[in-house]
C-alpha cells in the first residue's frame, strides 16, 4: 500500500533534469553504487582531493548527497534522483572549520553554476542569527536570483540560531523522530518560528564512502529530505508548464506545515512553523486536494515512484488518508532503502563523532547528529595544496588593499637572508620581511623578487585572493603591484598615499595556501589595465573637478560628503568578492566615481542626500553583453514628503574591464 506524501510526489515525478540542486558539504564518493546514472557534477573549490572511506566529512557529504540523489534500485533511494546535481565541497576531512567568507564563495559559485536549490547541512551557532557581510551578501544574491537555500537548524538542543539557517529567505530545517516529535537536540530559535520546518532526522539511511550504507541522525540529514521535496515540487511546476519558482515552493512548504500537537511536545516553539506536509504543499502550489492527488496516484498505477510496495507499507497497514504528514515521510525514508547492518552503522558512528562533534545530543541514538561547524573569518578551512579549478573564465573585479604572504617558513627565511640589513636612527638591524617599507625598498632594487612573493588582495585584513599576474604583460603588472604597495605605506597626508586598489582578473584553476593555513583562490590579472589605486579624499577632489563649473563653493562640501559616503558604503557595507555580475558593476561604479559625481551635482545642489545604492539587471544592453543598472537614490532629509531623486547608469561587465553605456538617466520617485 502506498505511504505518505512522498508517494504523492514520486508517483508524478522523480525529479526533472532541469532542476539543479547544489550540495555544499564534504567530499562525496561519486563511485558509490547509489550514484550510478546520476547527473552529478563536482565543482572545483578550495577543498580538493577524493572522498575517504574513513573521512568524517566524506561520510557526511556522501550521506547527505545520497539522501537526495540515490538512484532507484540502488542501496539508497534518494528523494529526487532524476534532478541535476552540483557537488560543491566546502568541508575537508582533516579541517572542519569553514569561514563565512569561504561559505559565501561557495554559495556564489553555486548560483553562478545555475543552482535552483542549495543544501547546506552545516552552520555556525550565533547569539541572534547575525552573520558577516560576506555571508549576508551571498544569501541576498540567492534571494535576488530566486535560489532557495535549505539549511540545517543546528543540533545544540536549545532555543538558539545557526547561520545561514537564520538568515532571511533561507528555509531552516529541524529534526523530528519517526513518530513526528521534535528530537531533543534539534534547535528551535525564535527566527525559526517564521522560517523553519521539521523534517525526519532520526536514523536516516544513506550511503557511506567506499560502499555500503549507514543510518545517521541530526538536522544535517533532515535538511536534504526537505531539499529533495522542494526539488520535486519544482519539477512538478516544470512538468505543468510553469516556470520553476523556488521562493514560491518555500512559501508552500512553510504555509502548509502541520503544527505539533500536545502529544508531540509541550513546547510548541520546538516545532518551529510546523512539520513538513507534502499534500498541503501540493494544494498550496497547484490547488490539488488530497483526494485529487490520490486519484492521480491511482491512475498512474502503484504510485510508489519506483519503490517496492512491500517496502513502503507501514507496520499498521494504515490507509493513505492517515499517512499524509511528515511522520509518514520519515517512515518512507527509513523503510524504502536497504538498511545497513547495525554493526556497520555503529562503526560509522564511532568514526564520525570525534571529528565533527559540536554538541552532544542527549541520546546514544543521536551520536551521528553532529553538524559541521562554520566559524568566523579568523578560522579557515585548510585544503590540499594541490591545484584546484575554481571556475572557467570567471571574471573578477574586486576592491581592497594589497598585501603579501610567504606561504612557508622557508620562503620567508629566504627573503630574510636576501634582504639587506635595515638602518633605523643610525642603528643597523636585521632585515624584517614583514616590514612593508623594507619590502618595498627591496623590491625596488630587485624587481624580479616580486614573483617570489604571494601577493594578496585583502578586505579589512582578510585575504580574499592571491594575485599572480599572467601573460605577456606579467612583468608590467608586477611593477604596478609594487607601485601600489609603495603607495599604501605613504603617510595619509601624502598625495602618493593609496588607500584602496581595484584589481580586474580571471579566477584560475589553482588555489594558494597562505602561511596562516588559509587557502584562497588565485586571481590572475591579464595586464595592468584597470588596476587603480587611490585615496578617498583624492578621488573625491578629482571627481569634484569634473563638475566644478556647474556647482558653487557652497555645494562642494555637500558633494564631497555625499561622494565619500557612496565610496565608503561600497567598501564597507556592500563589500563583496567581485565575482557576480552585479558586484562587478557595483565595484566599477566606485572606481568610476567621476561619473557618480556628475549625478550628485544636481541632487546635492537642491539639498538632497544619498539614500540607497541598488544594482539590478538592465533592460538595455548590447547583443551578447551583460549589463547592469547601478541606481543611486537621493532623499531630502528636511522634507520627507518630497519625491526622491533616482539616477541610473548602465554598466556592461561582459569584458574583463567593465564599461559604462550611454548617458546617466534620472527621474523622480515617491518611494
Amino acid at each position: 500500500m502506498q505511504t505518505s506524501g512522498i508517494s504523492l510526489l514520486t508517483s508524478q515525478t522523480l525529479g526533472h533534469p532541469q532542476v539543479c540542486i547544489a550540495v555544499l558539504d564534504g567530499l562525496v564518493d561519486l563511485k558509490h553504487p547509489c550514484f550510478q546514472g546520476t547527473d552529478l557534477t563536482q565543482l572545483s573549490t578550495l577543498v580538493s582531493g577524493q572522498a575517504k572511506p574513513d573521512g568524517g566529512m566524506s561520510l557526511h557529504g556522501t550521506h547527505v548527497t545520497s539522501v537526495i540523489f540515490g538512484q532507484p534500485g540502488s542501496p539508497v533511494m534518494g528523494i529526487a534522483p532524476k534532478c541535476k546535481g552540483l557537488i560543491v565541497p566546502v568541508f575537508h576531512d582533516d579541517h572542519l572549520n569553514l569561514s563565512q567568507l569561504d561559505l559565501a564563495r561557495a554559495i556564489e559559485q553555486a548560483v553562478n553554476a545555475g543552482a535552483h536549490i542549495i543544501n547546506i547541512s552545516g552552520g555556525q551557532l550565533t547569539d541572534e542569527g547575525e552573520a558577516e557581510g560576506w555571508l549576508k551578501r551571498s544569501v541576498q544574491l540567492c534571494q535576488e536570483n530566486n535560489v532557495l537555500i535549505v539549511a540545517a537548524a543546528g543540533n545544540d538542543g536549545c532555543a538558539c540560531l545557526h547561520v545561514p539557517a537564520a538568515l532571511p529567505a533561507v528555509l531552516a530545517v529541524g529534526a523530528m523522530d519517526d513518530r513526528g516529535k521534535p528530537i531533543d537536540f534539534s534547535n528551535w530559535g525564535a527566527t525559526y518560528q517564521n522560517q523553519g520546518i521539521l523534517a525526519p532526522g532520526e536514523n536516516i539511511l544513506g550511503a557511506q564512502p567506499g560502499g555500503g550504507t549507514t543510518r545517521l541522525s541530526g538536522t544535517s540529514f533532515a535538511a536534504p529530505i526537505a531539499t529533495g521535496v522542494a526539488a520535486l515540487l519544482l519539477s512538478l511546476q516544470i512538468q505543468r508548464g510553469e516556470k520553476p519558482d523556488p521562493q514560491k515552493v518555500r512559501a508552500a512548504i512553510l504555509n502548509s506545515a502541520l503544527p505539533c500537537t500536545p502529544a508531540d511536545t509541550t513546547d510548541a516553539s520546538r516545532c518551529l512553523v510546523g512539520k513538513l506536509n507534502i499534500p498541503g504543499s501540493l494544494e498550496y502550489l497547484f490547488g490539488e486536494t488530497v483526494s485529487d492527488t490520490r486519484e492521480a496516484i491511482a491512475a498512474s498505477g502503484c504510485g510508489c515512484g519506483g519503490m517496492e510496495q512491500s517496502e513502503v507499507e507501514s507496520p499498521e497497514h494504515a490507509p493513505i488518508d492517515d499517512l499524509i504528514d511528515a511522520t509518514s515521510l520519515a517512515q518512507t525514508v527509513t523503510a524504502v532503502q536497504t538498511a545497513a547492518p547495525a554493526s556497520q552503522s555503529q562503526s560509522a558512528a564511532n568514526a564520525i563523532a570525534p571529528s565533527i562533534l559540536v554538541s552532544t545530543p542527549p541520546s546514544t541514538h543521536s551520536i551521528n547528529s553532529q553538524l559541521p561547524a562554520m566559524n568566523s573569518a579568523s578560522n579557515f578551512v585548510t585544503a590540499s595544496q594541490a591545484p584546484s579549478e575554481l571556475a572557467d573564465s570567471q571574471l573578477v573585479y574586486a576592491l581592497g588593499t594589497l598585501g603579501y604572504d610567504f606561504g612557508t617558513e622557508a620562503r620567508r627565511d629566504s627573503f630574510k637572508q636576501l634582504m639587506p640589513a635595515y638602518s633605523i636612527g643610525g642603528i643597523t638591524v636585521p632585515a624584517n620581511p614583514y616590514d612593508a617599507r623594507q619590502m618595498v625598498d627591496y623590491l625596488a632594487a630587485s624587481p624580479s623578487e616580486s614573483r617570489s612573493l604571494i601577493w594578496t588582495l585583502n578586505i579589512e585584513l582578510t585575504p580574499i585572493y592571491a594575485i599572480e599576474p599572467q601573460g605577456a604583460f606579467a612583468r608590467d603588472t608586477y611593477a604596478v603591484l609594487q607601485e601600489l604597495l609603495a603607495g599604501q605605506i605613504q603617510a595619509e597626508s601624502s598625495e602618493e598615499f593609496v588607500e584602496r586598489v581595484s584589481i580586474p582578473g580571471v579566477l584560475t584553476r589553482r588555489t594558494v595556501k597562505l602561511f596562516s593555513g588559509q587557502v584562497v583562490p588565485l586571481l590572475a590579472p591579464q595586464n595592468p589595465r584597470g588596476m587603480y589605486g587611490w585615496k578617498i579624499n583624492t578621488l573625491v577632489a578629482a571627481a569634484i573637478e569634473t563638475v566644478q563649473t556647474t556647482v558653487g563653493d557652497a555645494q562642494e562640501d555637500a558633494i564631497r560628503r555625499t561622494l565619500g559616503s557612496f565610496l565608503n558604503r561600497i567598501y564597507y557595507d556592500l563589500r563583496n568578492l567581485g565575482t557576480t555580475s552585479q558586484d562587478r558593476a557595483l565595484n566599477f561604479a566606485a572606481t568610476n566615481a567621476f561619473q557618480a559625481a556628475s549625478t550628485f551635482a544636481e541632487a546635492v545642489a537642491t539639498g538632497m542626500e544619498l539614500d540607497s545604492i541598488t544594482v539590478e539587471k538592465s533592460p538595455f544592453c548590447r547583443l551578447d553583453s551583460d549589463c547592469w543598472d547601478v541606481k543611486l537614490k537621493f532623499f531630502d532629509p528636511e522634507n520627507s514628503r518630497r519625491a526622491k531623486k533616482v539616477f541610473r547608469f548602465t554598466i556592461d561587465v561582459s569584458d574583463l574591464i567593465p564599461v559604462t553605456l550611454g548617458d546617466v538617466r534620472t527621474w523622480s520617485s515617491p518611494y
Side-chain angles (χ1 to χ4, degrees):
M1 182 176 293
Q2 303 96 339
T3 70
S4 85
I6 192 67
S7 291
L8 304 181
L9 287 176
T10 57
S11 65
Q12 301 175 67
T13 182
L14 293 179
H16 196 285
Q18 291 181 14
V19 173
C20 183
I21 309 167
V23 178
L24 276 56
D25 212 289
L27 292 161
V28 177
D29 180 12
L30 295 177
K31 297 180 181 179
H32 193 283
C34 77
F35 297 126
Q36 299 305 307
T38 57
D39 182 7
L40 295 178
T41 301
Q42 179 168 313
L43 303 183
S44 294
T45 66
L46 300 180
V47 177
S48 58
Q50 301 294 323
K52 301 176 183 178
D54 59 348
M57 292 315 303
S58 291
L59 173 57
H60 195 275
T62 301
H63 191 287
V64 166
T65 304
S66 69
V67 172
I68 302 172
F69 296 107
Q71 293 296 290
S74 74
V76 179
M77 171 67 178
I79 305 293
K82 299 306 179 182
C83 288
K84 178 182 179 180
L86 299 173
I87 309 302
V88 189
V90 294
F91 294 109
H92 196 277
D93 283 321
D94 300 327
H95 304 277
L96 310 183
N97 294 332
L98 176 72
S99 72
Q100 292 189 24
L101 168 61
D102 288 339
L103 179 63
R105 292 187 200 276
I107 291 173
E108 289 191 6
Q109 190 176 6
V111 173
N112 289 336
H116 294 95
I117 305 173
I118 299 176
N119 186 95
I120 304 176
S121 290
Q124 180 186 7
L125 182 64
T126 65
D127 292 332
E128 298 178 356
E130 69 280 2
E132 295 181 6
W134 311 108
L135 190 54
K136 288 181 181 178
R137 290 275 295 168
S138 65
V139 172
Q140 181 182 351
L141 174 71
C142 291
Q143 190 171 2
E144 293 170 352
N145 287 271
N146 199 6
V147 176
L148 174 61
I149 296 180
V150 179
N155 305 315
D156 308 284
C158 59
C160 48
L161 301 173
H162 273 237
V163 293
L167 295 178
V170 175
L171 178 63
V173 183
M176 62 183 179
D177 61 22
D178 57 7
R179 295 168 297 173
K181 297 183 177 182
I183 303 179
D184 289 342
F185 60 72
S186 183
N187 292 353
W188 64 93
T191 302
Y192 297 156
Q193 311 311 310
N194 299 316
Q195 63 184 62
I197 53 100
L198 293 181
E202 183 177 55
N203 296 326
I204 304 302
L205 188 72
Q208 62 180 18
T213 60
T214 186
R215 292 183 181 274
L216 302 178
S217 299
T219 59
S220 281
F221 313 108
I225 292 176
T227 291
V229 169
L232 294 187
L233 293 174
L234 285 178
S235 299
L236 286 180
Q237 286 182 319
I238 294 177
Q239 288 181 194
R240 299 178 184 216
E242 300 178 14
K243 183 178 180 180
D245 189 343
Q247 289 303 322
K248 185 176 180 180
V249 166
R250 175 182 182 269
I253 291 174
L254 290 173
N255 287 314
S256 64
L258 296 174
C260 287
T261 66
D264 296 325
T265 177
T266 57
D267 183 359
S269 64
R270 301 191 66 152
C271 197
L272 313 187
V273 174
K275 305 176 188 179
L276 182 62
N277 175 16
I278 294 173
S281 297
L282 285 168
E283 183 173 359
Y284 183 96
L285 285 174
F286 309 114
E288 288 185 353
T289 64
V290 174
S291 58
D292 292 335
T293 308
R294 189 187 301 118
E295 291 175 3
I297 293 174
S300 64
C302 76
C304 49
M307 306 173 188
E308 293 295 328
Q309 273 188 305
S310 60
E311 291 178 319
V312 300
E313 186 171 341
S314 70
E316 296 79 19
H317 302 282
I320 193 169
D321 308 71
D322 298 326
L323 293 168
I324 60 174
D325 62 10
T327 301
S328 305
L329 176 60
Q331 295 169 348
T332 302
V333 172
T334 55
V336 300
Q337 304 162 335
T338 304
S343 59
Q344 184 183 46
S345 179
Q346 185 59 44
S347 64
N350 293 335
I352 192 172
S355 57
I356 62 172
L357 184 63
V358 174
S359 61
T360 305
S363 169
T364 56
H365 296 293
S366 57
I367 190 170
N368 297 313
S369 66
Q370 313 313 322
L371 189 66
M374 183 181 65
N375 291 345
S376 63
S378 59
N379 298 315
F380 298 92
V381 61
T382 303
S384 167
Q385 297 186 56
S388 174
E389 179 179 76
L390 290 178
D392 294 324
S393 300
Q394 172 63 62
L395 301 179
V396 174
Y397 192 90
L399 305 181
T401 59
L402 279 182
Y404 59 87
D405 196 272
F406 302 102
T408 64
E409 291 184 358
R411 186 180 299 189
R412 178 200 62 191
D413 291 344
S414 70
F415 270 89
K416 189 173 182 179
Q417 293 174 10
L418 292 171
M419 292 172 64
Y422 199 70
S423 179
I424 303 177
I427 300 176
T428 301
V429 297
N432 178 8
Y434 290 108
D435 185 339
R437 290 175 174 79
Q438 295 185 42
M439 182 60 70
V440 165
D441 292 342
Y442 177 62
L443 295 179
S446 306
S448 62
E449 285 291 271
S450 293
R451 295 176 179 268
S452 299
L453 283 176
I454 300 174
W455 292 87
T456 62
L457 182 68
N458 309 329
I459 295 184
E460 296 189 54
L461 303 180
T462 299
I464 60 172
Y465 296 112
I467 303 172
E468 183 179 287
Q470 295 181 359
F473 298 97
R475 180 175 180 178
D476 297 332
T477 307
Y478 275 114
V480 172
L481 292 175
Q482 178 189 338
E483 292 176 7
L484 293 174
L485 182 63
Q488 288 184 178
I489 65 173
Q490 300 299 316
E492 291 190 16
S493 58
S494 171
E495 293 184 358
E496 303 299 323
F497 174 67
V498 171
E499 188 171 1
R500 293 287 186 276
V501 300
S502 63
I503 305 292
V506 177
L507 281 181
T508 68
R509 300 168 183 254
R510 298 166 55 198
T511 59
V512 174
K513 186 176 182 180
L514 304 179
F515 191 80
S516 65
Q518 180 187 358
V519 176
V520 293
L522 188 63
L523 178 64
Q526 303 301 296
N527 54 59
R529 183 167 170 259
M531 296 174 62
Y532 300 108
W534 62 78
K535 178 183 178 182
I536 289 182
N537 289 339
T538 303
L539 184 62
V540 170
I544 287 178
E545 290 183 7
T546 66
V547 294
Q548 192 71 50
T549 58
T550 61
V551 301
D553 293 339
Q555 297 166 356
E556 282 192 21
D557 288 341
I559 294 177
R560 189 180 302 275
R561 182 178 63 253
T562 303
L563 187 54
S565 172
F566 165 68
L567 295 173
N568 279 315
R569 191 175 301 183
I570 292 177
Y571 294 145
Y572 298 110
D573 297 345
L574 303 177
R575 60 182 181 173
N576 59 77
L577 299 171
T579 56
T580 66
S581 296
Q582 47 266 61
D583 284 345
R584 292 172 58 227
L586 183 66
N587 291 346
F588 183 72
T591 305
N592 192 25
F594 305 100
Q595 185 175 22
S598 66
T599 70
F600 293 158
E602 179 184 348
V604 174
T606 57
M608 305 187 83
E609 294 186 3
L610 182 63
D611 178 39
S612 63
I613 306 169
T614 59
V615 185
E616 58 188 46
K617 188 69 174 177
S618 176
F620 309 102
C621 197
R622 298 176 293 204
L623 185 65
D624 298 327
S625 291
D626 185 12
C627 301
W628 294 80
D629 287 337
V630 177
K631 291 184 177 180
L632 309 175
K633 184 178 292 186
F634 290 80
F635 75 106
D636 188 339
E638 298 180 357
N639 184 2
S640 61
R641 300 180 63 183
R642 182 181 176 186
K644 290 183 169 68
K645 197 75 171 179
V646 181
F647 297 87
R648 180 181 69 186
F649 49 98
T650 302
I651 298 177
D652 183 353
V653 297
S654 57
D655 197 11
L656 186 65
I657 309 299
V659 61
T660 55
L661 295 180
D663 297 326
V664 176
R665 292 176 288 279
T666 181
W667 65 92
S668 296
S669 170
Y671 305 107

